Structure formats: C-alpha cells, structure tokens
Amino acid sequence: MKQKAILLVEDNPSDVALTQRALVKSRIANEMIVVEDGQEALDYLFAGGQYAGRDVSDLPSVVLLDLKLPRVSGLDVLRQIRADERTSRIPVVILTTSQEEHDIAQSYELHANSYIRKPVDFTKFVEAIQHMGMYWLVLNEPPPPK
Amino acid sequence: MNNKNISQRQATIAVLGFQWAALMILWVSQIFAQQSDATLTLGAGIAALIYGAMLFAYLRGWEYARHVSVILITLIVAVFLPEPFVTTYAPFLILLGPVLALVLLNPFWVIGSAVGTIGIMLFRAGGAGVYANPMTLINFAMLIVGLVVSRIIAESARTQADQARATQAELAGIVAASEERFRQLWEATVEGIAIHDQGIFLEINPALSLMFGYLPHEVIGKSMFEFIGSEASEIVRQKMKDGVTEPYEVPTYKADGTKLIVELIAKTIVYQGKTVRMVAIRDVTDRKQAEQALGESEERFRKTFRSVPVGLSITRASDGAYIDANDAFSEITGYSLAELTGQTSLQLNITTPQQRQEYTHQISQKGFIRNQEMSLRNKAGAYTIVLGSMEVIELNHETCVLSTAIDITQRKRTEDALRENEKQLKQTQAIAGLGNYFLDLTTGSWMGSEIFDHLLGIDETFARTMETWPTLIHPNDRQATADYFANEVVGKGARFDREYRIIRPNDQAERWVHTLGELEFNSANQPVKMVGTVQDITESKLVKTQLEYQARLLSKINDAVLAADDQYNITVWNQGAELLYGWSAAEALGHKTTEIIRSELTSAEREEILRQLHENGEYHIQLTQYHKNGRPVYVEASTVSIKNDSGRISGILSVNRDISERKRAEEEIRNLNASLEQRVQERTLALLKSEEQYRTLFDSIDEGFCIIELIFDEFEKSLDYRFLKINPAFEKQTGLANAEGRTMRSFAPNHEEYWFEIYGRIALTGEPARFENRAEQLHRWFDVYAFRSGEPEQRQVAILFNDITARREAETEVQRLNKDLQHHASQLESANKELEAFSYSVSHDLRAPLRGIDGWSQALVEDYGNVLDEQAQTYIKRVRSETQRMGTLIDDLLQLSRIARSDLYKKKVDLSAIVEVVVNRLKETKSAERQVEFVVQKGLSAMGDPKLLEVVFTNLLDNAFKFTGKKPKAHIEFGQTVVEGSPAYFVRDNGAGFDMNYANKLFGAFQRMHKVSEFPGSGVGLATVQRVIHRHGGEIWAASEVSQGTTFYFTLEEKSQ
C-alpha cells in the first residue's frame, strides 16, 4: 500500500526546506506536498484551481498548517477543512512560529489536532518534527475513509 | 350703313399694315443691297419690328397702339435719319411721323410729332444746319399747319355725317317702337278702346269686345247707339255735342243685358287721314256698387253714433277740438253738438287741466284709455261720473281721438253707499273682534266676513265645506263641539252658543272663540242654514282664568289678605287672615278693622298712616297686633288704598304677614353675629401673628420667592406674568431689580416659552411643579418649586427658586472633561491595538529568519563538517548561540507586551503555593550542582491574577537563583513584612547585589546591572515583573548592597489611605 502524502502549508521557502530536511533526518519517507498559501491548500484538498481533477478522496495523512499565510489565513483553511464532511476528519497539525494565546485557543476551537511551535533552535525543530512524524504517521491510527 | 365710308379702325389697320409692309421691303432690300447703309438697315429693321408688334397689338384691341406707333416712328425717323440729310437737307421722311399722326390720331399729335422731330434734329445738329434755317422751319410749319387743318376739316365733316346718321336711325327706331307699343297697348289694356266716327265704330280693341260681350265684327261699321241703351245714348250724344273731354259715367248694358256702369273719356284724333273720336271705356260697376254699400254703412254708423246711450265724442288730436259728438254726450255734458264743435273740453270746463293732461299723457303712452272713472263737469256746473275710454283713430286722414263716456254716477253712488256700509260693518266687526258667517246646511258650504277669516286665520284659498269646518277646531275640543252642533243645535233646533278653542291654520296659534248661531228653517220646519258670529275671546278667557287663579291663590295664601271699604268695614277676609288673627271670615266681614285687628297704635299714629295712604297710595309698617285670643303677633303690614274714578279713596287692601318667627331668627342671628365677630377678631390676631412669621421667613430665606399673577389670552394660553410680591432674596437670585408690579416680559421679552407654559398650567390646574430650567436672558439656571397661590380664579402662582447657574456650569464642565477623557481612552485603545498587531508580527516574522539562520548553520556543520576546521566549527556554534539568544530576547519581549495588554483576572491566590511550585521547578531543572536554601513563608494569600503572579515569582526567583550563582551557599527567601507601616511581600537573596545608584534603571527593559558574561539575561524580566505589579495596583522596589544580596519588596493592592 502506497504511503499517504503529508500536506505542508507554508509560505516561507526556508522553513519548507528545513521541514523537509527535518523529515528526512527523521527518516519519514512519506511524499510531502507543499502548497504556499491558504487558497492553494484548499484547492489541493477540494480539487480546485490548479488541482482541478484531483481525486478528492485521496486525502493526505496529515496537514501541517502554518497560521500566518498569504491570501486565506491558516485558521480559515482549518475552518473550511472542518466544515466540509469530506475533509473534516483529516488530522491537522498547526506548525507555526506564533505563541500567542489567542492563536492557540482559536486553533483548538476549530478542532486542530495539535499545536506545535517551531523553535528557533534547529536541533529542537528536528526533534519536534521527528516526534510529530512518529506520532501522526506511525503511532496514530488514521481516521477511516468515508 | 354707308359702305363708302371708311372707319377710323379700317384706316388705322390699313396705314399700319402698309407701313409695316413697306418697312419690311425696305429692310429686306437693304440687306440684299450692294451698298447698304447700316444705320438705315438697323432703323428699317427696328421700325418693321415695331410696326409688326403694333399692328398685332391693335388687332388684339389695344387702342394705344396708335399712339405708341406715332411716338416710336417719330423717334426712329428723328434719330435714325442718316446724315447728311439731317443737317443739309430736309427730306420728306421727316414728315412720316406727322402724317402717320394725321391718319391715326388727331391734330395735337400731328403738331407734337412735328415739333418732336424738328427738336431732335436741331439737337443732333447742335442747333445748326438746315433745320436752324428759318425758311426751312417756315416751310415745315406750313406743311404741318396744312396737315392739321385738313385733319380738322375731315374730322368735323365726319362728325356731322355721324350725327346725321345717328338722328335718322334714332327717329326710325322711335317710330317703329311707338307703333309697336301702341299695338301692344291696344291689345293688352283692360280698358276698352273704340275709335268711331260720329258714333259709327271704326275699330274696337279686344278689351272692349270682352267688356260688352260683342265680337269686333258684330259692331264695326255699326252705330254705337244700337248697343248702349237709350239712357246712355242720350248722355253720350249730349257729351259729344258739347265736346266734353273730361271723363263721365254712363249706365249701359252688356250684350247679355247685364247692367253695366262705365266711365268714358273721349278724344278727337286723326286716324288714317280722318278726324275721328277715340274713346277709352272703363268698367266701374264694382266700384259704384262698393261706393253705394259704403254710403249705406256710413249712414248706419252715423245713426248708431247718434243714438247709442253711450256718450261719444271725436276730437282732433292736434288741438283737442270737438269734431263730433252724439246726443248721449250732449246729455252728459249739457252742451249741444253745435256748442261743442270747434271747442275743447278745457275751454268748456268739461275737464280740468290736470285731467286733460293726464288723459293726454296716457294716450300718448298707450294709445288708449279703457274704462277709467272720470268726473266730467257739465254745462250747469254739476259733475257726472263716467266710465271713460279713449282711442286714437284715423278719420279723413286726420288723427283724432274717439272718446266714450258711460254715465255711472248713479251706480257709483249706490256702490259707494254699499261700500260705506260694508266698511262700517267691517270696522264694527274689527273693533268687536267679531266675525259673522253663513252656513248652508243643505250644501255644507259656508262663508264668512273678512274679520271672520282673520279671526280663524284662513284666507280665500281655504276650502269652505262641511268637512273643513271642524278642522279649524282644536283637536281636544273638536268632537265635543261637533256633538254639540249635531245633537244640541241641529238636533233640537236650538241656538248655537259655545266657547271652544281653535287652531289658526296660518300661524298655528291656539285661540279661544265664542260662536253664536241662529238656525233658519224652511217651510217643512227643517233647518237649512245657520247665520251667526264668531268672537275671539282668548284675551278675556285668559284674564278670566288668571282672575280665577288669583282668587284661588288669594284664598290659599298664607299672608292675611283683607280689604275694607271707605268706612273701614271689612269686605275681604282670607284664610291667611283667619289663621293670623283667629277670626273667621264670617266673624270679620262687615266689622270695622279696628274692632277685629287690635294694635297699640295711638290715634295720632293712625292719623299719620291714613294721611300717608291718602298721599302715597300705600303704607308699610311692622308692628305688634293681637290675635283673637290675645296673643301678640309681630306683623309686617302692607296697605294700599283703592281709589274710585273720582280719585276718592273707596277702600283699602292690606296684606299682613306674620313675621314673629323671622323677628326671632333675626334676633338670634344678631347674637350669633356678635359672637362671630369676636371670634373673627381673635382669629385675625392669630393670623396676623402667623403672617408675621411668614413675613419673617419670606424676608430672611436665601431662596428667591415671589407670587406672580398669570396673564392669559382668550384661549387660556399664558402670555406673561406679573410679579405681585417678591422677597428680598429675589433680586440677588434673579438680578431683576424693582420687579414688584412689573411683568416678566418687560424684563425679558424673549423669556423662554416654557416658563409661561409651566406657570400657566399650574395656575389653571393647581398641580405644583418642581423643575430646573434655563432663563437665557437672565443668563441663569433656576431650580424652581412652584405652586398655585390663593383661589383658582386669581390665577396666582407662588414660586420658590434658587439660582443654580454655578452648579449647572460645573456639571457642564464635568461633562466636557468626561468627554475628553473618553476621547483619550479611545486614542489609547487604538494605540494598544496597534501595539498588539506589532507584537504579533514580531513574534512571527522576526523568529522565522532566526530559525533559518540556526537551521542552515546546523546543516552546514552536518553536511560539510568534514571540510570545516575547528575554528569554523566554533564560529558556526557562535552564530547558532547568538541566534538562539535573540530568539529568547524576542520571546521575553513578547511576554512583556503580552502582560501589558492581557486581561487581568483577579481572584484570591495562595502566593505561598505559587512560590513553592516555582521553587520546585528551579530545584528540578537547575539546582543540581548548586547548594541553595529556599525559605518560603506559608499561608500568604492575596487578590491577584494567578498566571501573572506566577510570572512575577518565576522572574524574581530565577533572578535570585541566578545572582546567587557565585555564592557557595545561596539563601533565597519569600515572605511578608511591614515597610513604613504597610505590609509588603519580599523576595530576598544573598547574591551579587547591585549598586543602588543605578536603582532607577532597575526596572527598565533591556537594562542590565551585570555583564552578560557574568550573569546572562535579556534585561526584560524585571520590567515584566514591575508591569504585573503595577497592573495589580501595587508597587515594587528593591534594596540591595553589592555582594551582600538584594531584596525585592512589592505590594499587590493600592495603599489604603
């Protein structure tokens, strides 16, 4: 069985590269799809825009979602994922720099599965990604398809 | 017509035609000539053209073509005649114009053409040449004169010939026409015409033939005397003999023997060479008959005129003179026809000038007078009343007036007498209010006199039948009256005599009438009619009723009413008198008043009373009299004298009232009044005292007080008010001086309406009011309590008030400050919002690149570690450590800002417990290799935000732990103490301490007291701590000594003062 993809929603290319590097270092082999803003994320998930024709039922195993994004914000993306019954069960991990209480509270209000703050220290960052990958891709039992 | 004569028109056409033809030939020949003269060619061409045009125009009837031709040819000849003829020779061509004029026109044109030609020639030659030669001119003139003369001769000859011809033709025409007319007349005239010679008919016209009924051939050649009868023959022979030429009439006969009257007129004429008679005969039979009939009619009229008993007269309209009058008129006036004729009515004194003027006026207005009463004076001077009529008639072409006069003197007299009777009756009835009537019982019809109608309120339109009679009676009396009439009157044959009410139809008034009626009976003793009178008795009925009512009243009245005669014997004694004096009427009547009614009057007083009664007719007195049983009664007596016609007193009438009770009551009231007066005095004294108190209050209070009187308009809208009373504080409170008696508007014309409205309402409703209002014109605010004063109709309001301007202004100021404050607060809020946004950006955007720097540095070490020497590896480590420090700095700063803006959730917090948690964490994470003694005072609690307080303790204890790092034995303590009399918490250590000179920098962000190499840190921690403490309303300060340690003191609540 083909391993499901990870959807990374992140506009900072440096962060994208670091995340990929962290994943590699953590020996996580799942394909990683990168989209650079909220709208693109929604297009990918609901097969709109440049992703028209994509099989919507082919959901990523986990969505790594930054909050501060161009166009549609991370919280809005999360709200729409949860509002649509096709995507409402996808594990969504908020991966962001913000430590604002407001952001954390809002994310959980919208049923985010985790909230991870990206540390400045890369060693710690790799650790975090490693833990995250381990947890969501290995330990966690994914939601059954609809 | 004479064919040898040539007319002007023929001559003109011939000449113009010849000229045109000649010119055409000349022109054509010039064109084809070997040596043509250009001028001649042109002239001939133009002339040919003109002649052609003129000939054509003339043939079309344009007479002036002749004139134009002459003018043009003259000009052409004069202008185009080529040289050298002009100046040297006089060619015959110059005669062309005049000759043409001679034929076509008249001598004036001949001369005109000649003079024109010569003139132009002279002009062309400049006044010289052959034409300037007198000889040439004389020759030319002779030629022209010859031409003119010949023309004149020809003209006059022709005119004579024309005239002769015309006369001859006219005469022939006249003769022919005359003959024709005569023939027509002969045939058509209705008059018979005969031509005879000595009585033998030569000719007769058809009319005569028709008139007499003989055919012409039956009479022509025979003697007329065979036909016209002997009577006519004799007359005609006589007339013929006398040679009469005037018309005359003769009776004759037609062929069928019918009688005929004809009028003849005869004339001697010459007929076919012989002298004969022509007779015109007219049938005048009808006319004669009509004349005869007229004569007879006239005779009849004349007889009628003479004999009718009506006076007739005819006067000339122009002067009014009598032309004719009949016997009746003579009888009326006493003048015979002879006496009347030629005279006017005025001259004979038959009419007065006024009468005459009036009649003339009427006739001129209407053309007639009809049946007008006129009084005419007769010859003897007596007056006759006539019914006169006048009419304008035309008599023998003269405007006359035909007057008729019927003597009505006798009738008039009878009528007047009758009228007088009627009038008297009517007056009598009117005076008596009595109307008479007549009722026909057999037909049911009835009629009444004028007064009757008036009394019953009916007019001539009222239907007078048996059915309508009862409708006049009042509904309540109707049945009874009808029954009475049927049963008592008609039934018993008795007299009708009854009073009943009626309703007058015209004004619906109810009236009382008294009807009388006498029945009349026929031979069978049956009643057939009733004659009687009706009298309106409403007034007397009313008087009677009133009298009865008054009598009843008098008897029932409580007052004693008594009357006495001149001897003072009692004549009237009512129930009241019986009651008052105890004497019955039977006892009192007939006795003297003094015997019955005893009093204490002296005889002198009696005399005085009688004297006054005599003089004034009345007397009023209150006195004590005595009851039959001797009881005194106090009486008010009013006595009037009754006088007879001669003015003598015939009796007295007295109304006496028992006023004993009243007297007593009056006495009682007097007593009561006396006591009341005393009480009033006492009360007044009390009031005065209260008034005094009120006055004191009124004068001394600081509040303004006034009583005002409202001024309303007719709609109860209050317009103004007047200050009736003001207290001393009034002026100070209002700023209005000497207000008493003045109106508000007089001080402040634009005083706000609501003042007037409120006070008006209070005055009208009596409901007091408390309010605050502004009086703009007084520049003041007032706190007012107002209530109605006195009675509602006084419309007064009492007002107690205070000038609250200062308070109101202060309030306004406070409001203004509040507003400012709100403004600042909102500004602050927006500043905070901005800061929040800024912080958010910092947390994201500053940290991301740091992570990049750190990440990629690590990647460099990991991927290229083998090519980097140790030095490079160290540098990369430095990069990473600086990066991470920066990350920490940012995090600390974020915390600081978060604390500043996060909400404060205060509750009771166990401070000791928090300190314990923090200490334990320190112990677990950091104190492994250190020896630190923690002393925590138990059970300290305070009101505060637990999360923020944890931040406080974490920072303070972290610091303490950090700065004691160099002490072999660290001591860190938390507890509560008292500083300057107030409780304060403290955290104390025995660490490095700091120089108190820099204490002011201690709580500033990024302010550090030590080198980073000694004690690392961001320098944000204490700033965060201070902010949390301040947010709790507390204070924080430090006491330190270098190397000895530091103590931080803080409070969490504002100092309670």
Side-chain angles (χ1 to χ4, degrees):
Chain A
M1 190 186 120
K2 183 179 165 264
Q3 279 186 314
K4 282 191 170 182
I6 298 169
L7 178 64
L8 175 65
V9 188
E10 172 63 69
D11 66 320
N12 185 346
S14 173
D15 269 12
V16 171
L18 285 174
T19 306
Q20 270 172 333
R21 186 178 175 86
L23 283 172
V24 170
K25 279 187 169 291
S26 309
R27 296 195 175 73
I28 292 166
N30 297 54
E31 182 198 359
M32 193 169 81
I33 291 141
V34 179
V35 291
E36 288 179 20
D37 66 44
Q39 186 56 51
E40 211 179 318
L42 293 171
D43 285 348
Y44 177 80
L45 288 171
F46 299 111
Q50 66 183 97
Y51 296 101
R54 204 186 73 83
D55 180 8
V56 176
S57 68
D58 180 16
L59 295 172
S61 52
V62 66
V63 177
L64 303 179
L65 183 63
D66 192 4
L67 288 181
K68 199 154 179 283
L69 291 168
R71 301 212 274 176
V72 183
S73 80
L75 287 173
D76 280 335
V77 172
L78 176 57
R79 190 177 289 113
Q80 292 193 38
I81 287 172
R82 290 296 180 241
D84 195 297
E85 67 170 32
R86 292 171 297 180
T87 53
S88 60
R89 291 175 180 175
I90 306 179
V92 175
V93 174
I94 305 298
L95 193 62
T96 182
T97 315
S98 168
Q99 209 184 355
E100 289 289 317
E101 218 178 270
H102 173 80
D103 284 339
I104 300 166
Q106 279 270 301
S107 299
Y108 283 112
E109 283 285 323
L110 294 169
H111 308 294
N113 297 77
S114 288
Y115 191 101
I116 295 171
R117 188 174 182 238
K118 290 186 243 176
V120 172
D121 186 338
F122 183 66
T123 319
K124 286 178 184 164
F125 183 66
V126 173
E127 256 174 51
I129 294 296
Q130 206 169 358
H131 289 310
M132 188 275 300
M134 177 65 72
Y135 179 81
W136 287 108
L137 300 172
V138 180
L139 294 177
N140 189 47
E141 202 65 51
K146 283 195 178 175
Chain B
M1 283 290 129
N2 193 340
N3 290 335
K4 286 169 231 167
N5 282 343
I6 300 166
S7 73
Q8 178 66 54
R9 183 173 171 79
Q10 285 168 328
T12 304
I13 292 167
V15 168
L16 286 176
F18 175 74
Q19 295 285 345
W20 175 67
L23 280 165
M24 282 300 284
I25 292 163
L26 181 64
W27 180 57
V28 171
S29 69
Q30 277 297 317
I31 289 169
F32 295 104
Q34 289 290 317
Q35 294 173 327
S36 64
D37 182 328
T39 312
L40 194 59
T41 311
L42 183 63
I46 291 169
L49 205 62
I50 289 165
Y51 272 106
M54 287 302 124
L55 179 60
F56 182 70
Y58 187 73
L59 285 172
R60 294 296 299 261
W62 193 52
E63 281 296 322
Y64 292 105
R66 294 182 293 151
H67 304 78
V68 174
S69 299
V70 171
I71 292 165
L72 287 177
I73 208 71
T74 303
L75 289 174
I76 289 166
V77 166
V79 172
F80 289 96
L81 213 60
E83 287 288 3
F85 303 111
V86 180
T87 45
T88 316
Y89 310 108
F92 67 91
L93 255 175
I94 62 167
L95 288 174
L96 193 57
V99 168
L100 211 58
L102 179 69
V103 178
L104 295 179
L105 295 164
N106 54 36
F108 295 108
W109 283 85
V110 175
I111 295 166
S113 176
V115 170
T117 309
I118 293 300
I120 294 165
M121 290 292 183
L122 280 172
F123 177 75
R124 281 178 67 184
V130 70
Y131 296 105
N133 186 341
M135 279 311 291
T136 316
L137 282 178
I138 288 169
N139 284 338
F140 189 72
M142 280 170 64
L143 269 170
I144 293 306
V145 167
L147 283 174
V148 168
V149 170
S150 73
R151 173 73 199 190
I152 289 168
I153 291 165
E155 197 82 346
S156 94
R158 199 176 71 187
T159 307
Q160 276 176 8
D162 282 352
Q163 276 174 356
R165 231 176 6 249
T167 311
Q168 211 174 346
E170 199 179 338
L171 280 175
I174 286 166
V175 170
S178 172
E179 276 173 6
E180 181 63 20
R181 277 203 294 279
F182 176 75
R183 180 55 50 195
Q184 282 171 354
L185 199 63
W186 179 267
E187 301 279 354
T189 181
V190 289
E191 287 198 348
I193 302 168
I195 296 169
H196 67 94
D197 182 16
Q198 296 301 318
I200 306 299
F201 283 120
L202 299 177
E203 288 260 27
I204 64 166
N205 75 340
L208 189 64
S209 171
L210 212 61
M211 196 184 293
F212 281 86
Y214 296 104
L215 291 168
H217 70 267
E218 290 174 323
V219 295
I220 289 172
K222 293 180 181 166
S223 167
M224 70 167 82
F225 304 114
E226 286 177 39
F227 305 103
I228 61 175
S230 57
E231 193 187 348
S233 302
E234 199 172 323
I235 297 169
V236 171
R237 277 203 182 92
Q238 188 59 44
K239 296 285 181 188
M240 279 168 62
K241 196 171 140 200
D242 297 347
V244 171
T245 53
E246 280 78 42
Y248 59 93
E249 288 169 11
V250 288
T252 181
Y253 303 92
K254 284 191 179 180
D256 58 6
T258 316
K259 206 169 175 194
L260 195 66
I261 299 166
V262 295
E263 190 184 62
L264 307 177
I265 181 159
K267 250 192 178 142
T268 301
I269 61 165
V270 176
Y271 178 71
Q272 293 176 349
K274 283 198 281 189
T275 302
V276 295
R277 297 282 281 186
M278 183 168 76
V279 192
I281 301 139
R282 188 180 293 152
D283 181 353
V284 295
T285 314
D286 290 346
R287 197 181 81 193
K288 287 313 274 192
Q289 280 169 354
E291 275 175 11
Q292 200 176 345
L294 193 66
E296 284 164 12
S297 149
E298 216 169 313
E299 183 59 28
R300 272 203 300 279
F301 167 73
R302 179 138 292 279
K303 277 182 182 157
T304 312
F305 183 82
R306 292 274 158 245
S307 59
V308 285
V310 175
L312 294 172
S313 64
I314 295 168
T315 47
R316 260 201 307 270
S318 53
D319 59 358
Y322 287 104
I323 299 169
D324 202 350
N326 68 354
D327 298 345
F329 190 73
S330 294
E331 204 174 301
I332 289 167
T333 57
Y335 293 102
S336 69
L337 177 59
E339 285 170 323
L340 287 166
T341 308
Q343 299 289 315
T344 67
S345 63
L346 212 53
Q347 287 167 328
L348 294 171
N349 262 337
I350 294 170
T351 55
T352 62
Q354 289 81 2
Q355 271 179 302
R356 206 178 133 72
Q357 194 178 351
E358 188 202 325
Y359 303 151
T360 315
H361 176 72
Q362 282 191 41
I363 287 169
S364 71
Q365 288 289 308
K366 299 191 293 180
F368 60 84
I369 296 173
R370 290 261 188 282
N371 294 334
Q372 193 168 317
E373 267 182 33
M374 302 175 180
S375 178
L376 302 182
R377 187 176 180 276
N378 67 11
K379 193 176 177 181
Y383 286 93
T384 309
I385 293 162
V386 299
L387 205 58
S389 300
M390 295 182 179
E391 188 143 5
V392 176
I393 57 168
E394 202 71 17
L395 205 64
N396 296 332
H397 312 296
E398 194 170 22
T399 307
C400 299
V401 176
L402 171 68
S403 309
T404 65
I406 302 166
D407 185 351
I408 55 164
T409 314
Q410 197 54 43
R411 195 176 93 192
K412 187 83 189 159
R413 247 173 236 143
T414 317
E415 269 177 15
D416 284 352
L418 202 63
R419 200 170 295 138
E420 189 59 29
N421 272 346
E422 265 179 20
K423 196 171 148 199
Q424 279 172 5
L425 182 68
K426 204 158 123 186
Q427 277 173 351
T428 311
Q429 288 192 351
I431 291 162
L434 193 73
N436 63 316
Y437 65 90
F438 168 90
L439 170 64
D440 188 334
L441 291 171
T442 54
T443 63
S445 69
W446 49 275
M447 51 190 281
S449 66
E450 199 177 318
I451 300 298
F452 175 87
D453 285 2
H454 176 71
L455 288 182
L456 267 60
I458 58 176
D459 56 22
E460 65 274 6
T461 61
F462 191 82
R464 289 149 205 260
T465 68
M466 210 59 171
E467 284 72 40
T468 58
W469 178 291
T471 63
L472 297 169
I473 302 168
H474 192 287
N476 293 353
D477 293 353
R478 198 174 289 162
Q479 192 55 47
T481 310
D483 290 348
Y484 169 77
F485 178 70
N487 304 332
E488 298 296 317
V489 180
V490 179
K492 295 183 180 168
R495 191 172 193 237
F496 189 105
D497 183 352
R498 195 175 170 84
E499 291 178 357
Y500 54 89
R501 285 169 294 172
I502 58 163
I503 300 285
R504 281 204 302 236
N506 59 353
D507 58 2
Q508 296 301 318
E510 182 183 313
R511 305 294 292 182
W512 274 95
V513 295
H514 180 203
T515 305
L516 291 172
E518 292 286 348
L519 287 172
E520 282 181 24
F521 301 90
N522 61 8
S523 53
N525 213 21
Q526 294 285 317
V528 288
K529 59 172 105 164
M530 189 163 85
V531 179
T533 60
V534 172
Q535 189 172 16
D536 188 324
I537 54 162
T538 311
E539 271 73 32
S540 64
K541 195 88 185 166
L542 203 66
V543 170
K544 214 167 135 193
T545 315
Q546 275 177 351
L547 279 175
E548 280 168 7
Y549 174 72
Q550 282 169 358
R552 242 190 355 257
L553 207 64
L554 195 65
S555 73
K556 294 291 173 200
I557 202 164
N558 279 329
D559 291 353
V561 178
L562 56 127
D565 61 17
D566 56 343
Q567 298 303 310
Y568 304 106
N569 290 316
I570 294 168
T571 52
V572 171
W573 189 261
N574 79 337
Q575 283 180 7
E578 287 180 343
L579 224 71
L580 181 60
Y581 298 110
W583 302 91
S584 70
E587 289 168 323
L589 292 172
H591 289 84
K592 292 229 185 283
T593 52
T594 45
E595 287 171 26
I596 300 296
I597 306 169
R598 284 167 295 152
S599 69
E600 287 167 346
L601 293 174
T602 61
S603 55
E605 284 167 336
R606 265 180 226 284
E607 284 301 312
E608 174 61 20
I609 289 168
L610 288 176
R611 195 187 60 77
Q612 288 215 10
L613 260 178
H614 202 262
E615 278 179 9
N616 306 332
E618 57 186 75
Y619 189 77
H620 303 277
I621 186 174
Q622 292 184 356
L623 77 169
T624 306
Q625 294 176 329
Y626 292 92
H627 189 264
K628 184 184 179 185
N629 62 14
R631 177 169 55 87
V633 284
Y634 198 74
V635 171
E636 183 182 66
S638 296
T639 306
V640 297
S641 59
I642 299 163
K643 290 182 180 168
N644 63 11
D645 293 347
S646 56
R648 253 175 50 81
I649 291 178
S650 63
I652 56 158
L653 179 71
S654 207
V655 178
N656 299 352
R657 173 176 295 176
D658 182 355
I659 57 166
S660 312
E661 273 306 308
R662 198 172 89 191
K663 200 77 188 166
R664 252 200 306 283
E666 277 176 10
E667 194 64 29
E668 220 163 280
I669 286 167
R670 227 188 333 273
N671 291 337
L672 275 174
N673 269 347
S675 88
L676 193 67
E677 224 162 278
Q678 194 185 348
R679 272 164 58 194
V680 165
Q681 272 179 3
E682 286 166 12
R683 190 94 189 100
T684 311
L685 273 174
L687 266 173
L688 281 174
K689 229 168 151 182
S690 140
E691 169 77 14
E692 182 64 33
Q693 285 166 354
Y694 160 72
R695 167 103 350 234
T696 311
L697 183 71
F698 181 76
D699 288 347
S700 58
I701 53 169
D702 194 39
E703 277 99 342
F705 181 78
C706 61
I707 291 174
I708 58 166
E709 178 190 45
L710 272 295
I711 299 165
F712 290 100
D713 67 5
E714 70 236 61
F715 306 110
E716 302 242 296
K717 178 180 164 19
S718 52
L719 303 173
D720 200 356
Y721 49 80
R722 184 184 304 285
F723 296 104
L724 297 179
K725 223 170 200 186
I726 59 172
N727 75 341
F730 181 90
E731 186 178 335
K732 191 190 81 182
Q733 291 277 0
T734 59
L736 305 176
N738 300 324
E740 212 159 86
R742 290 184 62 182
T743 66
M744 190 62 214
R745 294 268 195 214
S746 73
F747 287 113
N750 300 325
H751 200 41
E752 290 81 359
E753 278 303 318
Y754 47 68
W755 294 101
F756 301 106
E757 278 163 25
I758 293 168
Y759 293 147
R761 197 163 55 239
I762 292 168
L764 292 174
T765 65
E767 284 172 25
R770 173 80 192 251
F771 58 91
E772 286 182 8
N773 264 344
R774 170 110 182 129
E776 191 57 51
Q777 284 197 301
L778 305 185
H779 312 294
R780 279 161 212 246
W781 278 91
F782 291 105
D783 175 14
V784 178
Y785 178 69
F787 51 96
R788 184 155 75 193
S789 164
E791 295 307 309
E793 57 273 13
Q794 287 181 286
R795 297 190 155 173
Q796 291 181 2
V797 173
I799 305 167
L800 192 62
F801 62 95
N802 248 325
D803 177 3
I804 53 159
T805 315
R807 195 191 87 202
R808 287 300 293 227
E809 277 168 3
E811 278 172 10
T812 314
E813 181 62 15
V814 166
Q815 278 171 4
R816 193 184 63 76
L817 288 173
N818 269 341
K819 229 174 177 164
D820 279 1
L821 205 59
Q822 273 173 11
H823 181 63
H824 287 313
S826 71
Q827 276 185 333
L828 207 58
E829 201 177 335
S830 68
N832 267 340
K833 283 252 164 64
E834 272 174 41
L835 188 64
E836 211 170 311
F838 172 71
S839 305
Y840 193 77
S841 297
V842 165
S843 82
H844 278 85
D845 302 335
L846 285 187
R847 276 158 52 88
L850 289 179
R851 190 165 52 252
I853 296 164
D854 189 66
W856 297 119
S857 305
Q858 178 66 14
L860 198 60
V861 172
E862 283 170 8
D863 295 359
Y864 300 96
N866 55 340
V867 295
L868 294 172
D869 66 7
E870 201 167 333
Q871 189 71 26
Q873 300 262 359
T874 310
Y875 291 164
I876 288 173
K877 270 190 194 130
R878 283 267 170 84
V879 167
R880 288 196 65 203
S881 84
E882 287 302 310
T883 307
Q884 282 156 24
R885 203 164 78 84
M886 178 137 187
T888 314
L889 252 170
I890 288 169
D891 285 349
D892 287 351
L893 261 181
L894 279 175
Q895 192 182 41
L896 178 62
S897 87
R898 226 180 357 254
I899 280 162
R901 57 198 155 88
S902 71
D903 293 327
L904 196 65
Y905 298 106
K906 267 184 158 184
K907 60 184 200 180
K908 198 174 166 73
V909 181
D910 185 346
L911 298 176
S912 302
I914 295 175
V915 173
E916 288 289 354
V917 169
V918 176
V919 166
N920 287 340
R921 197 160 60 217
L922 271 176
K923 280 181 181 164
E924 283 168 20
T925 57
K926 296 182 177 172
S927 71
E929 67 279 6
R930 294 255 320 256
Q931 234 191 345
V932 181
E933 188 193 0
F934 287 100
V935 178
V936 177
Q937 189 177 340
K938 303 276 183 207
L940 293 178
S941 63
M943 291 299 291
D945 186 318
K947 257 175 71 183
L948 294 184
L949 289 175
E950 194 184 327
V951 172
V952 168
F953 288 116
T954 306
N955 273 291
L956 288 178
L957 292 170
D958 273 359
N959 277 355
F961 189 83
K962 188 163 67 185
F963 291 113
T964 54
K966 300 217 160 70
K967 294 284 176 177
K969 211 169 172 190
H971 179 87
I972 298 170
E973 188 183 350
F974 166 71
Q976 193 181 33
T977 183
V978 172
V979 180
E980 292 172 8
S982 297
Y985 305 100
F986 67 88
V987 173
R988 185 178 294 143
D989 67 62
N990 60 344
F994 61 86
D995 186 346
M996 280 299 276
N997 286 331
Y998 305 108
N1000 58 338
K1001 289 187 174 178
L1002 193 59
F1003 298 103
F1006 306 110
Q1007 297 294 331
R1008 294 173 48 80
M1009 296 292 161
H1010 305 277
K1011 293 181 199 124
V1012 176
S1013 54
E1014 281 179 338
F1015 300 104
S1018 61
V1020 179
L1022 283 179
T1024 308
V1025 168
Q1026 189 193 40
R1027 191 158 292 182
V1028 172
I1029 298 296
H1030 281 177
R1031 289 206 62 191
H1032 278 78
E1035 282 183 64
I1036 187 164
W1037 65 99
S1040 186
E1041 207 176 321
V1042 178
S1043 304
Q1044 294 303 308
T1046 305
T1047 305
F1048 285 94
Y1049 299 93
F1050 63 93
T1051 61
L1052 289 175
E1053 278 162 17
E1054 278 180 77
K1055 273 185 189 160
S1056 50
Q1057 298 293 331

